[in-house]
């Protein structure tokens, strides 16, 4: 195939699977500058001597009978000493040269220049041999520029090879290695790879083995790191395989060596260029959570809830597609489910009946003001079964919740004047060391009703209320029930 035929081939843009690869294109740093050699030649040919020469050549063509054979006075296009084209109009050359400059700037940037600019010489040409794609001939004549295949990952150039066949061989070879490594014949590369034909510097084209080595390596991607207490720049840099200067360059807003816990830094993270996506079908058992159903009844008071049936989870067998990237699970797609045990719903009965004031709410309030002088638990070699709330003598004591008074008299066991209220829900409350009792056994009281006054009777070292909460007779820590 001749060079002209090769230049007739259209630019290829191929799609090839899914990959993620680092850009390895060489830096291009020249500038396109049009030389004036061609214009000087054309200018001379357009001068009086040039027109005289043209006139003589025209007469010669007519006399020799060559005009009928397609010969005309035109232009021969040269690159160095090599003729690369034939044209009949000067404008064709100028237009082609402009196209060359635009193409080079688009591919290599503004700072690129050809070592040898094309130029023209006026002379006898055959119109039947006029060059059709002069701009492409100009580019291909420069040995420093070649067409190559860019292997792009998500739009970023990763490697450059000579042709599409080499690119596909590299990718196929790497994919075969990865499939063997993961023991999965259906593994594919994650990411989007395209093959694109483009003009490149000849020196940037890599052979297959070099391109394969690059694509099989690691890249650096930007990530974030949340600074922890005790972190320093040197510790963070070492932890992520970076230098302090590199860390600073990625975080220009850093103020000296000071880092603050909770601050985020941009860090460099290694990542495989060729991430591998695998799929496998898995089967597993999964619980089916039970639902809670509510029923309303006037047999219970408002805000009173009773469980009439406990809930029980069910089970199901799940068949799913497990998707991993580089061995890490990224997605699970459920394909099929089969229930093996139906769940049993939990049934709650909610009361609708208005609650009398003297019926327990199930919630406790603090019985008096003052301050906590002694808590629940071990004290003086024994177990203190309640909490002591110190207050001034004669301050009011109120019922912590509604219920029925079952004890209201002086207790000789150390409590002094004592009130006990049964809340008729398994709870009882004790109010000891009172100076005066204001309720009698059998009285019903509502939450917040005054039942006694602060005193220091019985085994007491000062005016306070010894307050107990018991559940089915067992003392509980009141701090878990009331706000101090």
């Amino acid at each position: 195939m001749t060079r002209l035929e090769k230049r007739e081939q259209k630019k290829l843009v191929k799609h090839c699977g899914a990959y993620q690869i680092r850009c390895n294109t060489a830096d291009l740093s020249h500038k396109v500058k049009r030389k004036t050699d061609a214009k000087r030649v054309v200018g001379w040919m357009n001068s009086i001597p040039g027109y005289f020469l043209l006139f003589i050549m025209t007469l010669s063509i007519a006399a020799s009978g060559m005009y009928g054979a397609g010969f005309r006075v035109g232009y021969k296009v040269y690159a160095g000493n090599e003729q690369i084209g034939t044209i009949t109009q000067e404008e064709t050359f100028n237009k082609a040269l402009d196209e060359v400059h635009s193409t080079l700037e688009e591919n290599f940037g503004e700072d690129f220049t050809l070592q040898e600019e094309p130029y023209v010489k006026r002379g006898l040409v055959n119109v039947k041999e006029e060059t059709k794609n002069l701009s492409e001939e100009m580019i291909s004549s420069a040995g420093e520029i070649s067409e190559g295949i860019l292997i792009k990952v998500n739009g970023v150039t990763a490697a450059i090879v000579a042709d599409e066949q080499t690119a596909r061989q590299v990718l196929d070879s790497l994919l075969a290695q990865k499939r063997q490594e993961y023991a999965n014949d259906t593994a594919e590369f994650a990411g989007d790879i395209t093959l694109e034909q483009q003009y490149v510097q000849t020196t940037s084209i890599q052979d297959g083995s070099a391109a394969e080595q690059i694509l099989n390596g690691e890249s650096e991607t930007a990530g974030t790191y949340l600074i922890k207490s005790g972190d320093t720049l040197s510790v963070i840099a070492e932890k992520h395989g970076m230098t302090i200067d590199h860390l600073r360059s990625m975080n220009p807003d850093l103020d000296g060596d000071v880092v603050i816990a909770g601050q985020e830094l941009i860090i460099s993270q290694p990542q495989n260029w060729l991430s591998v996506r695998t799929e496998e079908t898995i089967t597993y058992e999964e619980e089916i959570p039970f639902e809670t159903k509510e029923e309303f009844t006037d047999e219970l008071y408002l805000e009173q809830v009773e469980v009439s049936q406990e809930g029980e989870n069910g089970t199901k067998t799940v068949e799913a597609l497990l998707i991993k990237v580089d061995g890490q699970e990224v997605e699970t797609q459920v394909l099929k489910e089969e229930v093996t045990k139906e769940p049993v719903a939990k049934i709650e009965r909610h009361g609708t009946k208005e609650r009398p004031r003297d019926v327990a709410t199930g919630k406790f309030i603090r019985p008096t003001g003052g301050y906590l002088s002694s808590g629940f638990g071990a004290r003086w070699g024994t177990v203190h079964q309640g909490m002591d709330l110190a207050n001034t003598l004669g301050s009011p004591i109120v019922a912590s919740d509604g219920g029925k008074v079952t004890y209201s008299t002086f207790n000789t066991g150390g409590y002094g004047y004592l009130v006990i209220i049964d809340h008729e829900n398994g709870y009882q409350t004790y109010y000891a060391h009172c100076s005066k009792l204001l309720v009698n056994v059998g009285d019903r009281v509502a939450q917040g009703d005054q039942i006694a006054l602060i005193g220091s009777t019985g085994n007491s070292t000062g005016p306070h209320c010894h307050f107990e909460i018991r559940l089915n007779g067992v003392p509980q820590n009141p701090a878990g029930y009331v706000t101090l």
Side-chain angles (χ1 to χ4, degrees):
M1 183 182 293
T2 66
R3 181 188 302 149
L4 291 179
E5 289 172 334
K6 290 181 180 179
R7 301 307 305 161
E8 288 295 322
Q9 292 181 347
K10 294 183 179 180
K11 185 176 182 180
L12 296 175
V13 179
K14 302 287 185 180
H15 182 272
C16 180
Y19 309 82
Q20 182 167 352
I21 312 171
R22 180 180 59 179
C23 174
N24 194 45
T25 306
D27 184 44
L28 308 175
S29 56
H30 300 279
K31 186 171 183 180
V32 179
K33 296 178 181 177
R34 174 177 295 187
K35 294 185 179 178
T36 58
D37 294 351
K39 290 187 175 180
R40 286 200 296 268
V41 173
V42 174
W44 182 86
M45 294 300 294
N46 288 330
S47 64
I48 293 176
Y51 280 115
F52 179 75
L53 177 61
L54 176 62
F55 175 73
I56 297 300
M57 292 172 65
T58 303
L59 289 178
S60 300
I61 293 172
S64 62
M66 297 174 67
Y67 191 88
F71 287 93
R72 305 284 189 278
V73 174
Y75 301 90
K76 296 180 180 181
V77 184
Y78 290 85
N81 296 322
E82 180 185 1
Q83 180 180 344
I84 60 173
T86 300
I87 55 177
T88 59
Q89 301 293 327
E90 179 185 357
E91 301 83 50
T92 303
F93 173 78
N94 292 331
K95 181 179 179 182
L97 196 57
D98 287 339
E99 290 176 0
V100 169
H101 292 154
S102 297
T103 299
L104 296 180
E105 288 182 14
E106 179 182 346
N107 286 273
F108 307 116
E110 296 180 354
D111 299 331
F112 188 89
T113 184
L114 291 172
Q115 292 180 0
E116 293 186 350
E117 285 273 315
Y119 61 93
V120 293
K121 290 182 180 180
R122 204 162 190 174
L124 188 63
V125 299
N126 189 335
V127 296
K128 297 178 182 179
E129 297 177 356
E130 185 168 6
T131 304
K132 301 299 182 183
N133 298 297
L134 183 58
S135 61
E136 294 184 5
E137 280 300 316
M138 289 178 175
I139 292 174
S140 64
S141 67
E144 60 198 297
I145 299 173
S146 304
E147 276 192 332
I149 296 295
L150 277 59
I151 303 177
K152 288 190 171 184
V153 180
N154 298 325
V156 179
T157 300
I160 305 173
V161 293
D163 50 51
E164 181 182 351
Q165 181 181 0
T166 302
R168 293 192 178 278
Q169 287 174 347
V170 168
L171 296 174
D172 289 345
S173 172
L174 290 171
L175 183 57
Q177 294 175 34
K178 294 300 182 181
R179 285 178 172 176
Q180 183 176 3
E181 178 182 341
Y182 284 89
N184 189 317
D185 291 338
T186 62
E188 296 290 344
F189 289 127
D192 184 37
I193 273 196
T194 57
L195 303 183
E196 183 175 321
Q197 190 171 22
Q198 185 174 307
Y199 288 113
V200 297
Q201 282 187 304
T202 304
T203 55
S204 68
I205 295 178
Q206 300 144 343
D207 61 25
S209 60
E212 187 171 324
Q213 184 175 358
I214 292 172
L215 299 179
N216 204 24
E218 287 186 338
S219 66
E220 288 187 357
T221 58
T224 58
Y225 175 76
L226 187 65
I227 297 174
K228 301 179 179 61
S229 178
D231 275 343
T232 64
L233 281 185
S234 59
V235 168
I236 296 170
E238 183 178 356
K239 184 183 298 184
H240 295 93
M242 303 171 63
T243 65
I244 293 180
D245 288 341
H246 188 188
L247 187 59
R248 286 184 184 280
S249 69
M250 297 187 75
N251 298 273
D253 295 333
L254 275 175
D255 184 15
D257 293 331
V258 178
V259 292
I260 303 171
Q263 178 184 3
E264 272 195 352
L265 290 182
I266 305 299
I267 58 169
S268 177
Q269 295 178 319
Q271 179 179 328
N272 292 334
W273 289 124
L274 293 176
S275 292
V276 180
R277 172 190 169 102
T278 58
E279 297 180 357
E280 60 179 300
T281 302
I282 59 173
T283 302
Y284 56 91
E285 293 293 319
E286 188 175 275
E287 280 194 340
I288 306 174
F290 64 81
E291 62 177 335
T292 300
K293 296 181 178 179
E294 296 181 347
E295 296 178 351
F296 298 91
T297 176
D298 59 6
E299 296 177 0
L300 302 173
Y301 295 117
L302 286 170
E303 298 183 0
Q304 190 174 0
V305 179
E306 183 181 273
V307 177
S308 62
Q309 178 176 285
E310 293 292 346
E312 187 177 340
N313 289 335
T315 57
K316 61 183 176 181
T317 301
V318 181
E319 183 178 310
L321 183 66
L322 179 62
I323 300 173
K324 296 181 179 180
V325 173
D326 292 338
Q328 300 297 314
E329 182 178 342
V330 296
E331 185 181 356
T332 302
Q333 298 176 0
V334 175
L335 304 176
K336 185 173 62 176
E337 294 182 339
E338 181 180 348
V339 176
T340 54
K341 180 185 176 183
E342 293 287 349
V344 176
K346 178 182 179 180
I347 300 177
E348 294 179 345
R349 301 176 71 220
H350 292 254
T352 60
K353 186 168 58 174
E354 287 291 337
R355 182 189 300 275
R357 289 187 67 253
D358 58 7
V359 173
T361 65
K363 298 178 181 178
F364 296 95
I365 63 172
R366 182 171 172 149
T368 190
Y371 62 92
L372 177 67
S373 60
S374 183
F376 179 88
R379 187 183 69 168
W380 306 333
T382 62
V383 177
H384 190 218
Q385 296 183 338
M387 64 167 52
D388 291 344
L389 298 171
N391 206 346
T392 57
L393 189 67
S395 296
I397 299 173
V398 301
S400 186
D401 199 3
K404 183 178 180 180
V405 177
T406 58
Y407 191 99
S408 181
T409 188
F410 188 86
N411 178 276
T412 58
Y415 282 111
Y417 283 108
L418 170 67
V419 174
I420 299 176
I421 299 175
D422 182 5
H423 301 288
E424 300 170 324
N425 57 4
Y427 285 97
Q428 303 87 35
T429 49
Y430 286 52
Y431 311 80
H433 307 305
C434 305
S435 63
K436 185 177 181 179
L437 305 178
L438 304 178
V439 292
N440 298 308
V441 173
D443 288 348
R444 296 197 66 84
V445 294
Q447 187 181 66
D449 284 353
Q450 190 169 337
I451 58 173
L453 302 177
I454 290 288
S456 187
T457 59
N459 296 337
S460 173
T461 58
H464 71 282
C465 173
H466 172 84
F467 176 57
E468 292 184 19
I469 296 178
R470 298 192 180 193
L471 176 59
N472 298 322
V474 179
Q476 308 294 306
N477 185 354
Y481 294 84
V482 300
T483 302
L484 298 177

